[in-house]
Amino acid sequence: MPIRLHNTLTRRVEPFQPLHPDQVTMYLCGPTVYNYVHIGNARGPVVFDVLVRLLRRHYPKVVFARNITDVDDKINAAARNAGVPIAEITDRYAAAYREDMARLGVTAPDIEPHATAHMPQIIAMIERLIADGHAYAAEGHVLFDVSSYAEYGALSGRSTEEMIAGARVEVAPYKRNPADFVLWKPSSDDLPGWDSPWGRGRPGWHIECSAMSAAHLGETIDIHAGGVDLTFPHHENEIAQSTCAHGGAVFARWWLHNGMLTFGGRKMSKSLGNVLELHTLLDQHPPEALRLLLLKGHYRQPLDWTDEALEQSVRTLDGWYGVLRDLADVQTDEVVQPIPEAIEQALCDDLNTPIALAELSALADRARKAEGDEARKAAKSALLGAGAALGLLLQPAEEWFRQGADTVDAEQVEALIAARNEARAGKDWARADAIRDQLAAMGVSIEDGADGTRWSMAR
């Protein structure tokens, strides 16, 4: 079935067709590595991970790049405040980001370009822009001349006046136009810098992604994705400089933007003091529950974070994994389970994860009620396939229920359960209840059933 995606540039949902029939190229704006990211920063990687999984099922080759911005004034400030070399900051938080994404079930990108490793390409692109009359050098800076690109503002749909009003435009005497943006800026001796035709300096933020994308994916890519907050100025500026540097070639054919994660209806930001650090949340809650929560809303809409929504995600996964635990005796025929048609159809329709999740819940209900070997086998296969399409239900059911079990001695738990069962068989209810209380004090929850007693870590 065809994939249909909303294109921010055209403001329409359009049938997706890559430039080359057998290959898709996709670029996702990655983190600036000066600190741990917050949970809002994880929404894009999670929802676009579902897209990458979908594309890989439909096309022979997908080349997916997600960059690391490792030169930035925030990084410089973090290193200065900590009294450590800049590389120590960038290496630490780039590694933390990779670890956090892996814990969320986000597949690693095929390419992870670092800005500092692409200075020759950045400088060469700036030189082309100057040579073609799209940029100019002034007082150690190089700026892009927005008046040289007639389509500037097409992505965000803003007029020049609106863009100036909506951006933190630096008023500088060396600018020809207030909206001109920095491609290169000078570095003092205490800041990182690279030799260039304009003196020792460092790149502006926007040029980095243009240069890295061209270096690894080519002048024209199929999909460029990121948060809606990047539409302007970052992505608008990327289009201008990339198109002008490559003789008018289309930079990205589809632009996809995810909505923001909000907290009480307000955007998460450090200035508002409502930031929830992803690294901490992953230690406090099941990572899969965080992933599920981030997929509950349609990716283009805002999604409000609440503790109640997270608790509901945990309970939902308890239910789904409970079904799989009840089907533990069922062996499916395939190593990789086929994706149910209704799930694939929902995801092909502009990544409609709410519909896909509703269908997954229906599949879990049917699997819970399935009777007979063949029906149970088909139900389990469908449930696993549906989960895999969303990056869910990929761990054994027992692992889900025993998350945090490293804090208890499993052999002791099993021995206590055996002792309790012995007490129950002998109708020693007081001892059986005392053992249950002992297990509860250890953080262990038990469930008696026809197949015996099962245990999990209490939540």
Side-chain angles (χ1 to χ4, degrees), residues 164-343:
I164 292 173
R168 297 174 181 175
V169 174
E170 179 187 358
V171 178
Y174 49 77
K175 284 188 174 186
R176 294 177 183 172
N177 306 294
D180 292 351
F181 57 88
V182 172
L183 301 174
W184 190 264
K185 52 189 172 183
S187 291
S188 56
D189 292 340
D190 62 329
L191 292 175
W194 289 261
D195 291 333
S196 79
W198 319 286
R200 182 177 178 276
R202 60 197 190 280
W205 174 35
H206 313 299
I207 194 69
E208 298 171 9
C209 286
S210 287
M212 289 187 285
S213 176
H216 296 282
L217 303 179
E219 293 182 358
T220 298
I221 64 175
D222 291 308
I223 299 171
H224 196 313
V228 69
D229 57 325
L230 298 181
T231 307
F232 179 81
H234 185 49
H235 290 165
E236 194 79 72
N237 292 352
E238 277 191 73
I239 291 176
Q241 62 203 10
S242 293
T243 303
C244 293
H246 298 138
V250 172
F251 173 38
R253 302 173 67 246
W254 263 264
W255 286 89
L256 273 63
H257 292 97
N258 63 275
M260 304 303 293
L261 192 68
T262 58
F263 192 94
R266 305 174 74 190
K267 175 184 173 180
M268 284 191 183
S269 72
K270 291 184 174 64
S271 61
L272 295 175
N274 61 0
V275 167
L276 299 173
E277 193 176 87
L278 175 61
H279 201 72
T280 301
L281 289 172
L282 287 166
D283 288 336
Q284 295 174 338
H285 306 282
E288 193 169 350
L290 296 174
R291 181 182 178 97
L292 173 58
L293 177 54
L294 293 173
L295 293 173
K296 281 191 171 181
H298 192 280
Y299 79 96
R300 286 193 283 119
Q301 300 302 317
L303 178 67
D304 201 47
W305 170 280
T306 65
D307 292 339
E308 293 75 18
L310 179 56
E311 291 171 7
Q312 180 59 51
S313 293
V314 173
R315 290 195 294 271
T316 297
L317 286 164
D318 279 342
W320 293 345
Y321 273 115
V323 173
L324 290 172
R325 186 167 61 176
D326 290 340
L327 295 171
D329 61 311
V330 176
Q331 297 298 315
T332 57
D333 295 329
E334 302 88 355
V335 175
V336 177
Q337 309 305 318
I339 310 299
E341 183 176 349
I343 297 290

Side-chain angles (χ1 to χ4, degrees), residues 26 42-52 106 257-259 291 294-300 351 353:
M26 178 172 168
R43 192 181 187 196
V46 167
V47 298
F48 294 124
D49 176 62
V50 174
L51 175 59
V52 171
V106 174
H257 292 97
N258 63 275
R291 181 182 178 97
L294 293 173
L295 293 173
K296 281 191 171 181
H298 192 280
Y299 79 96
R300 286 193 283 119
L351 288 186
T353 56

Side-chain angles (χ1 to χ4, degrees), residues 110-161:
D110 302 300
I111 304 166
E112 189 187 62
H114 288 54
T116 54
H118 292 77
M119 288 302 154
Q121 294 92 334
I122 291 171
I123 291 170
M125 181 173 280
I126 295 173
E127 288 179 314
R128 287 198 300 275
L129 289 169
I130 292 175
D132 292 343
H134 295 291
Y136 57 94
E139 298 182 24
H141 295 74
V142 180
L143 297 107
F144 184 89
D145 182 357
V146 298
S147 68
S148 73
Y149 182 56
E151 297 300 315
Y152 191 70
L155 181 69
S156 58
R158 303 184 185 194
S159 67
T160 302
E161 291 74 20

